[in-house]
Amino acid sequence: MAEVEESNKPLFAGLSDISISEDIPVEGDISVPVGSQNTDNDFSTLDEPVKDTILRDLRAVGQKFVHVMYPKKSSALLRDWDLWGPLLLCVTLALMLQGGSADSEEDGRPQFAEVFVIIWFGSVIITLNSKLLGGTISFFQSLCVLGYCILPLTVAMIVCRIVLLGGASVVSFAVRLIVVTASFSWSTFASTAFLADSQPANRKALVVYPVFLFYFVIGWMILTFSPSQ
Amino acid sequence: MANTDFLLQFQEFEDDQGFTENNQGATTVTIDDPIKSRKQRKATGTSFEEEDNDDKTELLSGEKKSPPFWTFEYYQTLFDVDSHQVKNRIVGSILPWPGKNFVEVYLRSNPDLYGPFWICATLVFVIAISGNMSSFLVNYGQPKFKYVPDFRKVTMAATAIYSYAWLVPLALWGFLTWRNTKITCLVSYSFMQILCVYGYSLSIYIPAVILWIIPSEGLRWCSIVVALCLSGSVLVMTFWPAIREDKPRITIAITSTIVILHALLAIGCKAFFFSTYELDHTEPLTTKAINNNSSINAN
């Protein structure tokens, strides 16, 4: 074994002769990026009045409403998602669908909890479905888009209640049918415009169909709503 | 000195052929040419058009190992279908073709959970909506009837359909597995494949239920019989290769159980969700409905 070491020694002997010449200049600057002052300003929102805080969130929600009503291919809904808008819309819709009094014994009209569960549970299942099919959108982004696209249906609900104030006749039914159909297709189209890009091309129909079913069921609940006298 | 030189020098091993010739008990593995195996499958299969995607997934699925069932990727493998594959599977479950086994032809080794889940969900909502619409239409002219949408139908329909779509395949798979220990059978289906077959076979009921909105008893029974024949025959033809080598008594028992359960689901849904018009009506149609219901209850 000693012979092996002796044979190895000449190989590494020359390494000690290598030296870095002092002629090579070393350049560059070492600096710490000074951004800490800006971030301190962003995070210290404790000092601002409460009105500013609330208005900032409301403005963000309102801006997303505008994006839903005019669905261009913008990524604002996807980039900064929030769940305030969907919560607001879901609670409004569930309250209006509840109808108020539970007087009759055969009251099979959907309760608040049922509508709430259908909307949120349905959104979660559709999101899981699109993720399982290989979508690239994240979980909360998809929930955000599906929730915000309920806005046309909520508007239709308000319109239906106003129409029903004038009595329940065939004409009012026809008007409500047209309004609900238009808003349901608007919702489906708006959410498809946001969600379809994140899916592989040969599975788009598989992702769009559950969204269609979801809004169809909500539209059906709105259409068959009859106020209790 | 000589010892270390021997260790440091590169050693040549013997040729492989000498190795295998001496070893007579060696097993050799040959990998089939993919093109050759595809042609073989075409020759033995049926004469419809084959999609390359199905072949590719068949070949690839034999090579990749399945991830454990507690990871998200495992469930992604169960949703590995394209739109046209789902469409073909639905068409294949509606139109029975003699000689085309649904599992062999459409599923191969790629059963999916997308079809069964969403077909059941659609069926649940279609039953609830059609039930509400039919009760509304029947009671339309009556002044003292006030239409109230019955939301409880959704929960009841969901319970019935999903338990049928999950428990019956579970029972059938358990039974077939138990019989496989007694008699060796060439064809054995996995649980996912049986689940998939049952899920897709429910798709014929969706147009049938939509037809039930029209309050005509003859039309309803006619649509039930047609739907039952189509999807029942698909089910029977799918499971026939798995049970035909058994004793004839067991074969007949399983076949008739499959058909009877399928029929019971349809008739039960019809009787439960679509017979609300017997409450206040005084037409002779009411007595026929009551007779139908009593005959079903007597079964």
Side-chain angles (χ1 to χ4, degrees):
Chain A
M1 290 306 281
E3 291 151 324
V4 177
E5 284 175 11
E6 277 172 12
S7 62
N8 279 339
K9 267 206 174 107
L11 282 174
F12 299 124
L15 277 182
S16 54
D17 294 340
I18 298 173
S19 63
I20 302 174
S21 78
E22 284 122 59
D23 295 335
I24 301 177
V26 176
E27 286 183 15
D29 50 44
I30 302 169
S31 61
V32 175
V34 182
S36 49
Q37 288 174 358
N38 294 337
T39 52
D40 267 342
N41 282 340
D42 278 343
F43 285 145
S44 65
T45 54
L46 281 176
D47 297 333
E48 61 177 18
V50 174
K51 182 169 71 94
D52 281 350
T53 313
I54 295 181
L55 277 184
R56 183 173 53 234
D57 279 335
L58 278 182
R59 232 174 270 129
V61 168
Q63 193 189 25
K64 292 203 188 71
F65 279 170
V66 170
H67 276 293
V68 167
M69 295 308 268
Y70 299 103
K72 307 185 293 277
K73 286 272 171 82
S74 74
S75 60
L77 263 185
L78 293 180
R79 232 186 6 242
D80 6 281
W81 56 268
D82 73 276
L83 292 179
W84 280 114
L87 182 67
L88 203 63
L89 289 171
C90 176
V91 166
T92 313
L93 195 60
L95 277 176
M96 285 200 287
L97 272 176
Q98 193 189 7
S101 57
D103 47 358
S104 59
E105 61 276 7
E106 281 246 344
D107 195 22
R109 139 181 333 125
Q111 302 295 315
F112 179 88
E114 284 166 347
V115 177
F116 206 78
V117 160
I118 278 196
I119 292 181
W120 284 103
F121 204 54
S123 303
V124 166
I125 290 199
I126 294 178
T127 307
L128 273 181
N129 177 63
S130 82
K131 282 192 79 67
L132 281 170
L133 281 172
T136 55
I137 201 171
S138 92
F139 183 75
F140 284 109
Q141 280 173 344
S142 171
L143 276 186
C144 170
V145 168
L146 287 169
Y148 268 104
C149 290
I150 296 182
L151 178 66
L153 284 167
T154 312
V155 170
M157 180 78 217
I158 298 175
V159 171
C160 281
R161 282 211 85 155
I162 296 176
V163 167
L164 275 173
L165 284 178
S169 64
V170 182
V171 172
S172 84
F173 179 74
V175 169
R176 281 186 293 144
L177 181 66
I178 294 174
V179 167
V180 169
T181 311
S183 62
F184 143 73
S185 33
W186 196 342
S187 288
T188 311
F189 173 68
S191 65
T192 310
F194 289 114
L195 288 179
D197 288 335
S198 65
Q199 292 297 324
N202 49 355
R203 293 184 184 180
K204 281 202 168 43
L206 295 185
V207 172
V208 168
Y209 172 70
V211 176
F212 167 85
L213 186 66
F214 177 62
Y215 289 128
F216 183 80
V217 168
I218 297 182
W220 172 257
M221 286 198 293
I222 292 176
L223 185 62
T224 59
F225 170 77
S226 58
S228 57
Q229 246 69 47
Chain B
M1 194 79 161
N3 204 14
T4 52
D5 277 345
F6 170 72
L7 284 175
L8 286 176
Q9 279 174 12
F10 187 71
Q11 305 293 327
E12 288 276 350
F13 284 103
E14 288 178 358
D15 213 351
D16 266 356
Q17 292 200 336
F19 207 66
T20 50
E21 273 169 9
N22 293 335
N23 207 351
Q24 281 168 354
T27 51
T28 55
V29 177
T30 56
I31 297 173
D32 268 339
D33 191 15
I35 300 175
K36 192 165 64 158
S37 71
R38 197 183 304 169
K39 282 200 191 127
Q40 277 177 351
R41 208 178 299 123
K42 262 199 179 128
T44 57
T46 53
S47 59
F48 68 105
E49 297 171 355
E50 279 195 5
E51 293 140 328
D52 287 336
N53 290 338
D54 284 337
D55 280 343
K56 240 186 270 177
T57 45
E58 161 83 344
L59 291 167
L60 283 176
S61 62
E63 295 162 7
K64 66 176 186 249
K65 58 176 173 35
S66 62
F69 69 91
W70 55 83
T71 57
F72 189 69
E73 282 75 27
Y74 173 75
Y75 296 102
Q76 262 186 326
T77 60
L78 291 173
F79 276 74
D80 194 15
V81 280
D82 296 334
S83 313
H84 63 93
Q85 278 179 318
V86 171
K87 184 174 65 78
N88 288 340
R89 288 178 189 190
I90 293 179
V91 169
S93 71
I94 292 182
L95 304 171
W97 207 259
K100 268 197 210 176
N101 188 347
F102 184 77
V103 176
E104 261 174 39
V105 160
Y106 292 103
L107 293 187
R108 306 287 176 79
S109 62
N110 190 23
D112 69 304
L113 277 186
Y114 177 90
F117 181 76
W118 286 109
I119 290 177
C120 290
T122 311
L123 194 59
V124 162
F125 286 115
V126 165
I127 286 182
I129 291 177
S130 305
N132 277 327
M133 263 171 50
S134 85
S135 72
F136 173 76
L137 278 179
V138 166
N139 294 307
Y140 182 52
Q142 298 196 319
K144 62 182 191 315
F145 178 82
K146 192 178 172 324
Y147 172 68
V148 170
D150 197 358
F151 195 74
R152 292 168 305 196
K153 287 191 199 263
V154 174
T155 43
M156 290 189 292
T159 314
I161 304 262
Y162 273 102
S163 46
Y164 175 80
W166 282 81
L167 293 181
V168 172
L170 188 65
L172 194 60
W173 172 74
F175 186 77
L176 285 179
T177 314
W178 172 64
R179 293 307 294 176
N180 262 347
T181 61
K182 302 262 182 118
I183 50 149
T184 53
C185 199
L186 289 174
V187 177
S188 72
Y189 297 130
S190 71
F191 175 59
M192 282 299 160
Q193 285 171 330
I194 300 184
L195 198 63
C196 206
V197 170
Y198 261 90
Y200 278 105
S201 72
L202 286 177
S203 62
I204 182 76
Y205 283 128
I206 296 177
V209 169
I210 295 179
L211 275 181
W212 290 352
I213 296 178
I214 305 170
S216 146
E217 275 299 304
L219 182 64
R220 288 180 181 181
W221 281 107
C222 201
S223 62
I224 284 186
V225 165
V226 168
L228 194 59
C229 282
L230 287 177
S231 64
S233 56
V234 168
L235 280 179
V236 167
M237 280 199 303
T238 304
F239 288 107
W240 185 250
I243 57 176
R244 69 176 161 213
E245 278 136 34
D246 212 339
K247 291 189 285 218
R249 241 182 352 163
I250 305 245
T251 310
I252 295 177
I254 295 184
T255 315
S256 50
T257 311
I258 292 176
V259 172
I260 286 179
L261 279 177
H262 216 59
L264 270 183
L265 179 77
I267 298 178
C269 282
K270 177 188 168 308
F272 195 64
F273 295 107
F274 289 85
S275 66
T276 55
Y277 60 90
E278 67 191 36
L279 294 171
D280 300 333
H281 244 48
T282 50
E283 285 178 15
L285 207 58
T286 314
T287 51
K288 205 162 79 157
I290 294 178
N291 286 339
N292 280 338
N293 279 337
S294 57
S295 67
I296 289 166
N297 289 336
N299 273 346

